[in-house]
Amino acid sequence: MSTSSHDRDPYALRDRILALDPVENAREIAHLFHRDFQRALLPQIATGFFATISPPRMTRILIRTGELEFRNRKRLVDQMLIHHEMLTHGFVPGRGRDALRRMNEMHRKYAITAEDFTAVSVETTLGQLTAAREYGWRELTEHEVRGVVEFERVQALHMNIRDVPATVAEMVAFRDDYFDRQVRFAPANRRLAESALRLLATVVPAHIAPRVEKVLMSLTDPRIVAALGYDYPDAAYRERVHRATREHAAQDATDKRAPKVVLDLIASVYPDGYEIDRLGTHLRAEEASGPRDRNAPTPMCPV
């Protein structure tokens, strides 16, 4: 939402962040961070998804559900909305806790390992911070880094994910080790990536659609690109894509409204609005994806 004070002073949200405590006010800091870097964070929607489908043991689960192959538009929008509700309202009774409960109900049905839960949390945090640094219109402050890390850590705890690293350096080390052991090519990875790219080609501006694969692979970690079975674009092409992404994200300096591409995507699924309890998957017991790993956390929602 745009306000006149923010229009006059592009640094108003940053200054508000600096006045908050990064632990006590982590949710508000993360929310303001997202508002100040909305367009800069757009690539993370795709790259975060690509990271999720780069370990074969994850794609084996996701292929069986059919959600990311045949209902991927709704799945993407629902994920965005659930995160938006928690980011906006936190985890106290109300819309934020309702969204948390809906997410945990979904995760409870899948045989996801504890390590994979942690990996998704880590990649979400690092992906946001990296995108803001790479494409953002202003410098990222250490104060908001601490707030974002704390918010994502607390969110993970509400999902009963207990082993999320506490610092950015520890997250990077965890991610690199996880990538070395778990991220590798499998045909199912490519199958889900192709489905995602078909969807994203309908979302991006028309002039990008024919090149959506090459553009998005330019923004993605090369280890993930290889695991999906694609070619990593050359350095000159990647630099052009990164420059164009930074130019687009420069609008964040003065326009604090949600990007039109996001609003249009949500409206394509929920033209008349949405109810939190209808977001996400609602699988029957027989559709669950096999026995759970004994070490996997049982998702919870505090009362």
Side-chain angles (χ1 to χ4, degrees):
M1 182 180 298
S2 179
T3 67
S4 58
S5 63
H6 297 150
D7 290 339
R8 290 194 303 269
D9 179 8
Y11 292 97
L13 296 183
R14 182 207 60 183
D15 293 345
R16 171 62 181 159
I17 287 171
L18 292 174
L20 297 170
D21 184 276
V23 175
E24 295 297 323
N25 307 117
R27 197 277 311 163
E28 186 176 356
I29 288 175
H31 188 208
L32 294 170
F33 162 82
H34 274 258
R35 286 185 57 199
D36 230 10
F37 291 106
Q38 292 188 89
R39 290 161 187 80
L41 296 179
L42 284 176
Q44 199 266 335
I45 296 174
T47 59
F49 173 74
F50 292 150
T52 300
I53 63 171
S54 60
R57 71 184 184 192
M58 283 294 289
T59 52
R60 284 194 293 269
I61 294 172
L62 296 170
I63 284 286
R64 283 197 292 269
T65 71
E67 289 295 315
L68 295 182
E69 191 169 15
F70 304 110
R71 294 173 288 278
N72 56 8
R73 180 178 293 265
K74 183 179 186 300
R75 184 68 182 84
L76 173 61
V77 169
D78 287 356
Q79 178 179 326
M80 292 167 54
L81 291 174
I82 287 173
H83 188 259
H84 167 75
E85 294 290 348
M86 292 188 290
L87 190 63
T88 304
H89 302 289
F91 309 109
V92 297
R95 294 185 66 88
R97 182 171 292 182
D98 291 346
L100 172 67
R101 184 177 291 110
R102 183 77 279 276
M103 181 172 64
N104 283 339
E105 288 171 351
M106 289 187 290
H107 287 168
R108 190 176 292 116
K109 297 177 181 293
Y110 300 113
I112 302 171
T113 70
E115 183 181 47
D116 290 334
F117 271 118
T118 301
V120 171
S121 177
V122 165
E123 181 59 33
T124 298
T125 305
L126 292 179
Q128 293 172 26
L129 298 176
T130 299
R133 284 197 180 98
E134 289 283 333
Y135 315 120
W137 63 276
R138 63 166 174 82
E139 292 292 323
L140 188 62
T141 71
E142 184 58 31
H143 199 79
E144 62 196 319
V145 170
R146 290 174 61 198
V148 169
V149 168
E150 177 65 11
F151 171 76
E152 295 294 342
R153 185 191 70 83
V154 171
Q155 178 176 272
L157 287 174
H158 280 298
M159 296 171 61
N160 207 19
I161 303 171
R162 303 294 183 181
D163 298 323
V164 175
T167 69
V168 170
E170 291 170 344
M171 287 182 184
V172 171
F174 172 92
R175 181 184 62 182
D176 289 345
D177 175 67
Y178 178 83
F179 277 14
D180 287 344
R181 292 182 296 101
Q182 299 297 340
V183 171
R184 61 185 183 276
F185 175 74
N189 301 5
R190 175 70 180 237
R191 181 171 153 185
L192 288 180
E194 288 176 347
S195 176
L197 288 169
R198 286 194 296 271
L199 167 62
L200 293 169
T202 70
V203 173
V204 299
H207 69 282
I208 296 177
R211 304 187 298 277
V212 67
E213 172 194 317
K214 195 171 182 180
V215 167
L216 290 178
M217 293 307 146
S218 295
L219 302 171
T220 301
D221 187 302
R223 296 169 291 185
I224 294 174
V225 174
L228 301 181
Y230 291 101
D231 295 325
Y232 193 48
D234 62 70
Y237 190 90
R238 296 199 312 272
E239 177 51 35
R240 290 199 298 274
V241 171
H242 281 247
R243 184 169 60 249
T245 304
R246 285 191 291 270
E247 290 172 354
H248 178 253
Q251 297 175 59
D252 286 332
T254 54
D255 189 352
K256 308 304 181 183
R257 297 170 298 179
K260 184 175 184 298
V261 63
V262 172
L263 297 177
D264 288 348
L265 180 60
I266 294 171
S268 73
V269 178
Y270 298 109
D272 301 315
Y274 63 93
E275 298 175 10
I276 291 174
D277 63 359
R278 299 189 62 106
L279 298 176
T281 57
H282 293 77
L283 300 183
R284 299 185 301 272
E286 62 269 23
E287 292 176 298
S289 52
R292 290 186 60 86
D293 176 13
R294 290 184 179 181
N295 294 319
T298 300
M300 66 178 185
C301 182
V303 296

